[in-house]
């Protein structure tokens, strides 16, 4: 073990021998099992424990659930012997491997892992095929410009479960590769369209880049066929080398024809294409020379159980079997023994990594533009591109992660003399006698930085500048995001174990202690005074599920606040904030993410018992074109118009509300206005409406501040107010109170009239504003805020209102025999089926559905119980969808009364959601508690 670590530390200074890779895939596609297979090559775990140990899943809840919840790093040593000019030469490599989660709730962990690496192993289950998260991780790898290798895993399931023939399996594998390439092609098309819009389109260059980099083809060596649970994997190259002598065909030619529609004509002893078949039923070479051999071996071992034949096959393959292996009743174990010697997975995968993934020096030249500003000084850019160990220190911290202080490597103690050992034993015995009871000692958590060094060499104890994501060396206002820190210790990551390092040169992945007080989530470390801040990481999943937490013992509030601070640093996706009500809120990406955060807070960071509120889900309030059901007919104003006077009757305000068209509303939801230029916004609105609207030149502001999907514009005739559209004003008295208008608009749109949730998709027009001469101008400013906020509320309620529900998109795969149970659970949860498709060649259906986040809590557990674990959903935030029911609707017509009765026993779903939110916020709920009550008679005893 120590010699291997010594070899790794030597290789850290040889940048051409370093490979930084991560493993990406959908949940349960075999990432951690693949990691275990690679660890066996370094002797870290036994080959018998591969797939069972789940070595990189170091958390207790990861082992219990059988899924990965956080990214874990480990460094592997790989030695490869190859023939050069008929002489054997040995090359040693350092593989920095990061295993990442596949569950959609932990997509942020995938983003942090991708930034630190130069390449990715993308796993796809041979049975389930391409899933939602496969699509997501391919996009994440593309955004980070990672070189990718496709690993089609669980091929054994095609043999043992689906019982496919070799020819059917070949067709199935071809479709999987085509599907993955189609996804990459769609990304390429999107980028080309974007470049074309920016007027920088160069067709020839893009096609060359496209052909050479971004597609998977087995003949290129970037596709691996594997079964991680059985410990085997291979590439086309291995069989090409094996058959080149037997078939007397050049190895390079055989590599090109061993995959695809190529056939061996044994009579003419040549390879032919599809046109050369001439009606003959020949098998593709991949089926004939690769798959049939593997299928025959599985059939012989698992079905025929023919021991002499197994021994004969083993001798043919040069596989050494012990007598106990042949006598064993564990046939799967015997099969694994043969396959791991014939087609060892670690060799196929690591050799593919070495050949296909570039070293840090080459990779950084290609990736530098994705995370480095063009304004960065040339000397720093050159140092990063060359991965210069002598250049300025540039380190990126992708995340902070917590470890127990006891798990840190302890400094080596000097050897004690026998007398010193005796005294030490006496002291320990004396302390144990004096202790009256056993006191549980709380473990202290230490936060380490998960880092990649891009240039320079960092040493233990050195002092560096810590630059936050918002820091800009050219903007003095951002200098508050710059601080100085001393790096206490540097670590080599070996899963849950850590090894001390004295220095780390450019190109390596490692951990740093000493950043706990300086880094929130991500940061850049440098020894240059005005160094660059590398681009922050874009997270794929937004926090949508919120809970309020407080300690059961109020005196321990300080521990909870400290624990929340540590949790906020240690989790890339969680959001911690303090509500106006004083509640501490945790916002998470989903139910499973929330469970993990609460467990960490209780057991690691705060170490106190917590009281947790029911999950809080956001809603939005909007309006339709129809008038309110309770419309008052006491005025002749247009629909949506409200006139309000202040309390002193010295100020009159007239506001009109209008629903925004659906396409405009959707555009505002999908684009952040604060990050866009004024002319971009106005031209986009004009294009969406089809023609320019009068109010577009008089937009004052968008709101609310978080998620601006409402518009406030001036419509007072012959008046110009300073705001979003205009940089000047025309002298109207409304300009004097503009700040009051802005504040009132933000307050009104942040808390709508239905249940205090943000408004969405509403245009408010200020049509009139008058102040009487006798008005007290000092008092008026505060009164206007209240009055115009009331005007917005009244104008909103003139329409038939709707709630917008936060929705999850749900994808799951299920056998056909339990479809009914799946539909039953979805219907109970108010889900809506979008599509159901059967996967060709499998008995599985893929179901796409949407369901309200409000109804999703406990959905995954209920579905697993009803289907006996055969179906497991992936829930991804889908946006907000309007629930087309008026929360104030009651039956009035004869048909409605006949159908629903006077009490309307069928529940109004919108009113149910609205009342639940109002009740949680302590707002008034219009609800009959007692109906037709009778006074109880009290009978006197005789």
């Amino acid at each position: 073990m120590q010699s291997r670590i010594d070899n790794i530390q030597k290789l850290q200074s040889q940048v051409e021998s370093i490979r930084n890779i991560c493993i990406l895939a959908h949940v349960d596609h075999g990432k951690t099992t693949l990691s275990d297979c690679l660890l066996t090559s370094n002797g870290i775990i036994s080959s018998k424990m591969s797939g069972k140990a789940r070595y990189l899943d170091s958390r207790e809840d990861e082992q219990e659930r059988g899924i990965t919840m956080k990214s874990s790093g480990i460094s592997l040593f790989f030695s490869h012997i190859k023939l050069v000019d008929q002489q054997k030469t040995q090359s040693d490599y350092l593989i920095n491997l990061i295993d990442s989660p596949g569950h959609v709730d932990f997509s942020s962990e995938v983003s942090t892992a991708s930034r630190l690496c130069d390449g990715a192993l993308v796993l796809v289950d041979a049975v389930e095929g391409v899933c939602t998260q496969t699509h997501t991780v391919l996009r994440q790898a593309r955004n980070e410009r990672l070189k990718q290798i496709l690993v089609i895993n669980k091929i054994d399931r095609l043999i043992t479960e689906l019982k496919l023939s070799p020819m059917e399996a070949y067709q199935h594998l071809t479709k999987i590769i085509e599907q993955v390439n189609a996804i990459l092609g769609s990304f390429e098309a999107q980028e080309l369209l974007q470049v074309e819009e920016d007027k920088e389109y160069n067709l020839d260059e893009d096609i060359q880049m496209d052909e050479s980099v971004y597609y998977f083809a087995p003949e290129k060596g970037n596709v691996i066929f594997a079964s991680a649970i059985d410990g085997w994997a291979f590439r086309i190259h291995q069989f090409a080398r094996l058959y080149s002598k037997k078939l007397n065909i050049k190895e390079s030619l055989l590599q090109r024809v061993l995959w695809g529609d190529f056939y061996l004509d044994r009579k003419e002893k040549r390879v032919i294409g599809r046109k050369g078949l001439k009606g003959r039923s020949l098998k593709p070479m991949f089926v004939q020379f690769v798959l049939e051999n593997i299928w025959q071996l599985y059939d012989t071992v698992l079905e025929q159980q023919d021991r002499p034949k197994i021994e004969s096959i083993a001798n043919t393959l040069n596989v050494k079997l012990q007598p106990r292996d042949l006598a064993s009743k564990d046939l799967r174990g015997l099969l694994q023994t043969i396959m791991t010697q014939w087609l060892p997975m670690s060799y196929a995968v690591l050799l593919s990594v070495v050949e296909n993934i570039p070293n840090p020096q080459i990779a950084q030249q290609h990736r530098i533009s994705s995370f480095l500003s063009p304004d960065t000084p040339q000397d720093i850019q050159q140092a990063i591109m060359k991965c210069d160990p002598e250049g300025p220190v540039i380190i990126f911290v992708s995340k902070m992660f917590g470890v127990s202080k006891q798990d840190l490597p302890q400094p080596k103690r000097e050897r004690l003399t026998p007398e010193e050992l005796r005294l030490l034993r006496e002291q320990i015995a004396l302390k144990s006698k004096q202790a009256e009871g056993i006191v549980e000692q709380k473990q202290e958590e230490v936060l380490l930085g998960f880092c990649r060094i891009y240039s320079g060499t960092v040493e233990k104890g050195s002092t560096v500048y810590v630059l936050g994501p918002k820091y800009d060396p050219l903007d003095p206002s951002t200098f508050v995001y710059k601080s100085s820190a001393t790096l206490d210790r540097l670590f080599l990551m070996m899963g849950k174990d850590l090894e001390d390092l004295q220095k780390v040169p450019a190109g390596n992945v490692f951990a740093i202690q000493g950043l706990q007080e300086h880094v929130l989530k991500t940061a850049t470390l440098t020894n240059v005074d005005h160094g660059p801040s590398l681009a922050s990481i874009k997270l794929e999943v937004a926090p949508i599920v919120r809970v309020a937490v407080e300690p059961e013992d109020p005196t321990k509030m300080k521990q909870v606040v400290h624990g929340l601070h540590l949790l906020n640093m240690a989790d890339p996706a969680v959001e911690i904030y303090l509500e106006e009500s004083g509640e501490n809120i945790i916002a998470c990406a989903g139910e499973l993410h929330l469970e993990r955060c609460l467990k960490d807070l209780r057991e690691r960071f705060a170490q106190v018992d917590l009281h947790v509120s029911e999950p809080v889900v956001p809603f939005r309030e909007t309006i339709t074109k129809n008038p309110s059901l309770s419309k008052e007919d006491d005025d002749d104003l247009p629909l949506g118009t409200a006139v309000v006077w202040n309390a002193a009757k010295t100020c009159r305000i007239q506001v009109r509300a209008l629903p925004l068209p659906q396409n405009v509303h959707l555009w505002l939801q999908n684009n952040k206005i604060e990050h866009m230029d004024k002319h971009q916004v106005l031209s986009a609105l004009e294009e969406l409406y089809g023609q320019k609207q009068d109010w577009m030149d008089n937009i004052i502001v968008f709101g609310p501040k978080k998620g601006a999907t409402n518009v406030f514009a001036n419509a007072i005739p012959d008046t110009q107010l300073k705001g979003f559209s205009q940089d000047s004003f025309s002298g109207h008295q409304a300009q004097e109170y503009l700040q009051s208008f802005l504040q009132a608009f933000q307050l009104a749109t942040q808390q709508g009239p239905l249940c205090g949730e943000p408004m969405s998709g509403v245009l408010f027009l200020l049509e009139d504003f008058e102040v009487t001469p006798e008005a007290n101008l000092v008092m008026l400013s505060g009164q206007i805020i209240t009055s115009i906020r009331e005007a917005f509320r009244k104008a909103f309620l003139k329409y038939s209102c709707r709630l917008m529900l936060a929705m999850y998109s749900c994808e799951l795969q299920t056998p056909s025999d339990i479809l009914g149970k799946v539909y039953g659970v979805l219907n109970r949860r108010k889900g809506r089926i979008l599509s159901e498709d059967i996967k060709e060649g499998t008995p599985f259906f893929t179901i796409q559905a949407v369901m309200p986040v409000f109804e999703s809590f406990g959905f995954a557990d209920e579905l697993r119980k009803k289907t006996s674990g055969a179906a497991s959903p992936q829930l991804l935030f889908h946006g907000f969808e309007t629930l087309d029911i008026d929360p104030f609707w009651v039956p009035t017509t004869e048909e409605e009364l006949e159908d629903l009765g006077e009490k309307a026993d069928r529940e109004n779903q919108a009113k149910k959601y609205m009342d639940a939110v109002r009740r949680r916020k302590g707002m008034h709920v219009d609800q009959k508690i007692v109906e037709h009550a009778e006074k109880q008679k009290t009978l006197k005893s005789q």
Side-chain angles (χ1 to χ4, degrees):
M1 179 76 176
Q2 188 59 45
S3 62
R4 183 173 54 81
I5 291 173
D6 291 340
N7 288 333
I8 288 173
Q9 291 182 0
K10 288 177 186 175
L11 288 169
Q12 284 187 329
S13 58
Q14 301 173 22
V15 69
E16 68 281 354
S17 299
I18 299 173
R19 302 291 186 273
N20 297 315
I21 61 165
C22 55
I23 305 179
L24 311 177
H26 187 79
V27 65
D28 288 335
H29 279 202
K31 296 179 298 301
T32 306
T33 307
L34 171 64
S35 303
D36 279 359
C37 290
L38 300 184
L39 299 185
T40 58
S41 67
N42 276 230
I44 297 173
I45 60 174
S46 162
S47 59
K48 296 290 184 185
M49 293 301 294
S50 177
K52 301 171 187 173
R54 300 180 63 86
Y55 185 83
L56 294 180
D57 286 352
S58 55
R59 293 172 57 97
E60 185 181 341
D61 47 357
E62 287 180 318
Q63 292 284 352
E64 288 175 359
R65 289 180 177 270
I67 62 171
T68 305
M69 296 187 183
K70 60 171 180 52
S71 297
S72 300
I74 193 164
S75 296
L76 302 176
F77 175 76
F78 176 60
S79 183
H80 174 51
I81 299 174
K82 57 184 176 181
L83 286 172
V84 178
D85 297 330
Q86 301 299 320
Q87 291 187 347
K88 291 183 178 180
T89 59
Q90 179 174 328
S91 302
D92 295 336
Y93 296 94
L94 166 60
I95 313 289
N96 291 316
L97 173 73
I98 301 177
D99 180 27
S100 62
H103 197 283
V104 67
D105 282 10
F106 307 111
S107 289
S108 58
E109 294 282 348
V110 179
S111 300
T112 58
S114 302
R115 173 56 64 86
L116 301 180
C117 297
D118 302 318
L121 295 171
V122 179
L123 267 70
V124 177
D125 188 318
V127 174
E128 294 184 6
V130 176
C131 300
T132 48
Q133 199 63 8
T134 312
H135 196 285
T136 303
V137 299
L138 284 168
R139 183 171 60 249
Q140 287 173 309
R142 176 66 180 251
N143 291 342
E144 292 292 342
R145 301 191 179 183
L146 303 185
K147 191 76 178 291
Q148 300 165 51
I149 297 172
L150 178 64
V151 181
I152 302 180
N153 192 25
K154 302 189 181 182
I155 289 182
D156 60 289
R157 293 182 67 192
L158 302 180
I159 309 171
T160 57
E161 288 183 30
L162 301 187
K163 308 290 185 183
L164 298 184
S165 67
M167 188 65 193
E168 291 169 335
Y170 166 68
Q171 294 168 348
H172 185 75
L173 295 173
T174 304
K175 287 176 183 175
I176 290 176
I177 296 174
E178 287 174 355
Q179 288 173 355
V180 177
N181 284 334
I183 293 172
L184 296 180
S186 68
F187 296 156
E188 182 72 14
Q190 290 171 10
E191 286 189 11
L192 292 179
L193 288 172
Q194 185 63 44
V195 171
E196 188 175 17
E197 287 176 6
D198 297 338
K199 308 298 181 186
E200 295 176 2
Y201 185 64
N202 186 327
L203 185 62
D204 295 331
E205 288 185 9
D206 287 335
I207 287 180
Q208 289 173 8
M209 178 180 67
D210 189 21
E211 290 291 331
S212 61
V213 178
Y214 288 112
Y215 288 103
F216 295 117
E219 62 270 19
K220 288 184 180 179
N222 60 4
V223 177
I224 299 173
F225 303 93
S227 170
I229 196 69
D230 287 341
W232 60 267
F234 67 88
R235 292 188 299 160
I236 294 294
H237 297 56
Q238 291 172 252
F239 282 92
R241 191 178 306 116
L242 179 67
Y243 284 111
S244 62
K245 293 180 181 178
K246 291 184 179 180
L247 300 176
N248 197 22
I249 300 175
K250 287 183 180 179
E251 184 179 334
S252 58
L253 174 62
L254 204 51
Q255 286 177 10
R256 294 201 301 270
V257 300
L258 205 50
W259 173 266
D261 293 329
F262 296 100
Y263 310 84
L264 180 66
D265 188 336
R266 289 188 178 274
K267 291 182 179 178
E268 299 182 11
K269 295 183 179 180
R270 67 188 184 93
V271 177
I272 59 175
R274 184 183 289 274
K275 292 181 181 178
L277 284 176
K278 297 177 182 179
R280 290 178 292 178
S281 59
L282 299 179
K283 296 175 183 177
M285 293 182 68
F286 185 74
V287 174
Q288 185 177 356
F289 294 108
V290 180
L291 294 186
E292 286 189 348
N293 290 325
I294 296 173
W295 258 245
Q296 183 184 359
L297 182 54
Y298 268 78
D299 181 64
T300 304
V301 177
L302 299 182
E303 300 296 330
Q304 299 178 21
Q305 301 179 20
D306 187 342
R307 306 283 173 166
K309 191 174 180 181
I310 293 171
E311 190 172 1
S312 173
I313 292 173
N315 293 332
T316 305
L317 299 176
N318 291 325
V319 171
K320 295 179 181 178
L321 291 178
Q322 300 294 332
R324 66 172 181 272
D325 293 327
L326 288 168
S328 172
K329 293 182 179 180
D330 181 11
L331 297 175
R332 196 73 187 220
L334 174 60
L335 178 69
Q336 290 171 0
T337 303
I338 297 171
M339 295 300 289
T340 51
Q341 291 185 57
W342 179 35
L343 301 171
M345 180 173 230
S346 58
Y347 176 78
V349 173
L350 295 179
L351 184 59
S352 179
V353 166
V354 167
E355 292 179 356
N356 289 282
I357 305 300
N359 63 53
Q361 188 174 15
I362 297 172
Q364 287 176 195
Q365 294 175 15
H366 175 61
R367 298 182 61 211
I368 186 170
S369 60
S370 66
F371 55 78
L372 201 62
S373 168
D375 300 328
T376 306
Q378 282 297 317
D379 59 330
I380 294 178
Q381 287 195 34
Q382 289 299 319
I384 294 177
M385 289 179 71
K386 294 178 180 177
C387 198
D388 185 4
E390 304 297 327
V393 173
I394 304 290
I395 300 171
F396 183 71
V397 183
S398 73
K399 70 167 186 173
M400 303 291 288
F401 65 99
V403 297
S404 171
K405 197 171 184 178
Q406 296 178 353
D407 292 337
L408 294 177
Q410 301 298 322
K412 293 180 180 179
R413 295 181 180 178
E414 295 181 3
R415 191 168 183 177
L416 300 178
T417 62
E419 183 63 24
E420 289 172 332
L421 284 170
R422 185 182 62 78
L423 292 173
L424 186 61
R425 281 196 297 268
E426 289 177 358
Q427 290 173 3
I428 294 170
L430 184 62
K431 286 180 181 179
S432 62
K433 288 180 182 178
Q434 291 174 346
E436 295 180 358
I438 299 173
V439 180
E440 186 179 351
Q441 189 175 2
K442 292 186 177 180
Q443 295 185 356
E444 185 180 347
E445 285 288 322
V446 177
L447 293 182
L448 307 180
F450 207 134
C451 307
R452 160 85 179 260
I453 179 166
Y454 288 97
S455 79
T457 301
V458 64
E459 296 186 2
K460 176 181 176 181
S462 57
T463 302
V464 294
Y465 295 108
V466 182
L467 312 178
K470 295 181 180 179
Y471 174 80
D472 183 356
L474 303 178
D475 184 1
S477 65
T478 64
F479 287 3
V480 293
Y481 301 111
K482 178 180 178 181
S483 61
S484 180
T486 301
L487 309 182
D488 298 334
R489 298 174 75 179
L490 310 176
F491 298 111
L492 175 70
M493 290 180 290
M494 301 298 294
K496 61 185 176 181
D497 299 323
L498 300 165
E499 297 289 338
D500 269 309
L501 296 172
Q502 296 302 315
K503 65 178 182 179
V504 181
N508 286 283
V509 177
F510 64 109
I512 295 178
Q513 182 185 354
L515 303 175
Q516 187 163 329
E517 303 300 325
H518 302 275
V519 178
L520 181 57
K521 292 182 183 293
T522 65
T524 305
L525 311 181
T526 180
N527 60 356
V528 182
D529 192 17
H530 293 289
S533 177
L534 304 184
S536 58
I537 295 171
K538 182 183 177 183
L539 302 182
E540 292 285 332
V541 179
I544 192 69
V545 180
R546 298 172 293 168
V547 293
V549 294
E550 60 183 13
E552 291 187 359
D553 181 358
T555 60
K556 296 181 178 178
M557 191 66 197
K558 189 178 286 187
Q559 289 173 245
V560 171
V561 172
H562 177 66
L564 287 171
H565 176 66
L566 293 178
L567 175 64
N568 195 26
M569 294 171 66
D571 194 303
V574 76
E575 286 185 7
I576 310 289
Y577 57 93
L578 189 67
E579 284 276 24
E580 293 179 3
S581 59
E583 293 177 305
N584 287 294
I585 302 294
I586 300 178
C588 299
E591 190 177 4
L592 185 59
H593 186 213
L594 176 63
E595 281 184 35
R596 191 194 78 173
C597 289
L598 292 175
K599 180 180 175 68
D600 283 349
L601 190 60
R602 284 192 182 100
E603 298 178 3
R604 297 173 57 196
F605 299 129
Q607 299 185 12
V608 297
D609 294 326
L610 297 173
H611 177 71
V612 182
S613 71
E614 290 295 317
V616 178
V617 176
F619 289 82
R620 296 289 183 267
E621 301 179 17
T622 190
I623 55 177
T624 63
K625 294 180 180 180
N626 303 319
S628 170
L629 297 172
S630 58
K631 184 176 183 294
E632 298 177 3
D633 298 324
D634 57 349
D635 55 49
D636 297 325
L637 295 171
L639 179 62
T641 305
V643 179
V644 174
W645 289 82
N646 69 331
K649 302 293 183 183
T650 57
C651 175
R652 179 181 180 276
I653 303 165
Q654 182 173 322
V655 171
R656 187 179 183 192
L658 293 168
L660 288 169
Q662 188 173 359
N663 60 338
V664 177
H665 187 192
L666 189 63
W667 183 83
L668 288 171
Q669 285 179 308
N670 295 333
N671 293 274
K672 292 187 177 182
I673 300 296
E674 60 270 21
H675 296 159
M676 298 179 69
D677 181 68
K678 175 174 71 175
H679 301 292
Q680 283 181 303
V681 175
L682 294 177
S683 61
L685 290 175
E686 186 177 338
E687 184 180 339
L688 291 165
Y689 267 96
Q691 60 181 5
K692 191 169 186 178
Q693 305 293 312
D694 295 336
W695 53 267
M696 289 183 185
D697 287 333
N698 293 292
I699 297 175
I700 300 172
V701 71
F702 291 87
K705 289 180 180 177
K706 287 185 178 180
T709 53
N710 305 284
V711 187
F712 181 33
N714 170 40
I716 302 174
D718 304 323
T719 305
Q720 186 173 303
L721 297 181
K722 190 175 180 179
F724 181 84
S725 297
Q726 300 293 340
D727 297 325
S728 59
F729 58 94
S730 60
H732 192 274
Q733 57 186 346
Q735 182 67 36
E736 301 175 23
Y737 302 100
L738 187 61
Q739 287 303 317
S740 299
F741 291 157
L742 298 179
Q743 191 171 350
F745 175 73
Q746 297 294 348
L747 289 170
T749 53
Q750 184 62 40
Q751 296 184 336
L754 296 183
C755 51
E757 292 291 305
M759 294 182 189
S760 187
V762 186
L763 165 66
F764 289 103
L765 300 175
L766 178 64
E767 294 188 330
D768 193 19
F769 178 76
E770 297 176 4
V771 179
T772 58
E774 61 270 15
N776 183 339
L777 300 180
V778 177
M779 303 270 300
L780 191 58
S781 182
Q783 292 177 359
I784 284 177
I785 295 176
T786 306
S787 301
I788 197 168
R789 187 178 178 187
E790 180 65 17
F792 288 137
R793 191 187 72 84
K794 283 188 173 181
F796 185 92
L797 291 173
K798 295 277 185 179
Y799 289 93
S800 180
C801 304
R802 296 288 186 270
L803 280 179
M804 295 180 70
L805 310 183
M807 302 295 287
Y808 272 141
S809 66
C810 170
E811 183 188 84
L812 52 91
Q813 289 194 349
T814 175
S816 55
D817 56 335
I818 59 167
L819 272 177
K821 294 178 181 179
V822 172
Y823 287 163
V825 176
L826 281 169
N827 287 334
R828 278 196 297 277
R829 299 281 179 162
K830 308 294 184 294
R832 186 175 78 252
I833 308 294
L834 299 179
S835 67
E836 58 172 25
D837 299 305
I838 190 166
K839 288 235 174 199
E840 283 189 53
T842 73
F844 294 101
F845 277 84
T846 299
I847 299 173
Q848 298 277 356
V850 290
M851 66 185 301
V853 177
F854 192 87
E855 303 283 355
S856 69
F857 300 107
F859 168 67
D861 289 338
E862 182 185 358
L863 189 64
R864 277 193 288 268
K865 287 176 184 175
K866 294 289 183 183
T867 62
S868 302
S872 184
Q874 281 281 84
L875 299 175
L876 182 64
F877 181 57
H878 186 62
F880 288 89
E881 188 175 290
T882 303
L883 179 63
D884 198 17
I885 303 174
D886 192 317
F888 301 113
W889 179 86
V890 289
T892 51
T893 66
E894 288 185 10
E895 291 83 359
E896 290 170 350
L897 288 167
E898 186 177 342
D899 184 29
L900 301 171
E902 291 183 9
K903 298 179 184 177
D905 294 332
R906 190 182 297 170
E907 193 173 23
N908 183 332
Q909 199 65 33
K911 189 175 190 305
K912 172 191 167 185
Y913 292 143
M914 183 181 77
D915 288 348
V917 177
R918 292 182 71 90
R919 197 174 288 114
R920 173 174 59 80
K921 293 184 175 182
M923 302 167 73
H924 172 69
V925 178
D926 187 15
Q927 183 181 15
K928 282 186 178 180
I929 299 174
V930 178
E931 189 173 6
H932 305 306
E934 293 182 1
K935 185 177 179 182
Q936 182 181 352
K937 292 182 180 180
T938 305
L939 300 176
K940 294 181 180 180
S941 56
Q942 296 289 333

